[in-house]
Amino acid sequence: MTDYTLYYWPIAFRGQFVRSVLAHVGATWDETDFNAIRALKSKSPAEQPVPHMGPPVLTDHAAALSFSQMPAILHYLGKKHGLMEDDPASEAMTVKIVADANDVLYEITLYNGAQMWTGESWRDFVPRLERWMAMFEETGRRHGMTAEAGYLLGTDKPGIADLATCSLWGTMTEKLPSLRPLLEKAAPAIAGLCDRIAALPEQAELRARSDAEYGELYCAGQIEASLRKVLSA
Ligand SMILES: N[C@@H](CCC(=O)N[C@@H](CS)C(=O)NCC(=O)O)C(=O)O
């Protein structure tokens, strides 16, 4: 049996945050297909392993526990596998970084596709996206991180904050490469961090496997189509 089961759509996006941590700690996990996830999310809360609205959901088999909400899943894995500093301030900063990343995912998908991007709404959003990038950059700068060395919260090895940062900006700019110059301009040290994390053997292996399984898909659906349309205009 594997250590974990991850329920997430066959795309990178929010699920990649969980996959990246599982790969980093050397855990084994399996995933289910689209129909199984749709069936799971449609069950009544009483029948679900953890009451939830949408994936990701992670089941820890040894502990017989399931969690939903990506930030809660990362918090659990971070505590369990020693990827978060124990002091309250560092822990709160890690939670803040993951929450910021989740906010960016909502914003870039216009709240899970509640509306579609237009040329005008995208142009209005770009300064805000740059500001999000600059916020991550400033966090790293305050902890002595550069493009070539160091980690976001000043730790001596990558933790949840670094993995989440790279799942956010690394995945986004891999799947939507026209955004990479914006990241390099607004957050050069974050771009460097993403490259350093992506080069770790387990992350390189995960990316190769994900690319083979999900192709170029980022967030999928009509919202991805509208995003690609404004980016190519
Ligand atoms: N706040 C949740 C958001 C979960 C979420 O929006 N999941 C998306 C996929 S990324 C979904 O499929 N939602 C289906 C739904 O909400 O019905 C988290 O961070 O995990």
Side-chain angles (χ1 to χ4, degrees), residues 150-168:
Y151 296 103
L152 197 74
L153 300 182
T155 53
D156 56 10
K157 58 184 174 45
I160 289 293
D162 304 287
L163 295 168
T165 297
C166 296
S167 292
L168 175 66

Side-chain angles (χ1 to χ4, degrees), residues 3-27:
D3 301 325
Y4 296 96
T5 295
L6 172 64
Y7 300 90
Y8 193 69
W9 309 115
I11 55 171
F13 203 56
R14 211 173 246 112
Q16 212 65 8
F17 286 71
V18 183
R19 295 184 187 111
S20 155
V21 177
L22 293 175
H24 189 77
V25 300

Side-chain angles (χ1 to χ4, degrees), residues 1-56:
M1 205 203 336
T2 55
D3 301 325
Y4 296 96
T5 295
L6 172 64
Y7 300 90
Y8 193 69
W9 309 115
I11 55 171
F13 203 56
R14 211 173 246 112
Q16 212 65 8
F17 286 71
V18 183
R19 295 184 187 111
S20 155
V21 177
L22 293 175
H24 189 77
V25 300
T28 58
W29 77 97
D30 55 17
E31 301 202 25
T32 55
D33 66 13
F34 184 93
N35 289 333
I37 292 154
R38 198 169 48 183
L40 187 74
K41 92 182 254 313
S42 307
K43 284 185 174 175
S44 74
E47 294 173 308
Q48 292 178 321
V50 60
H52 67 276
M53 195 61 84

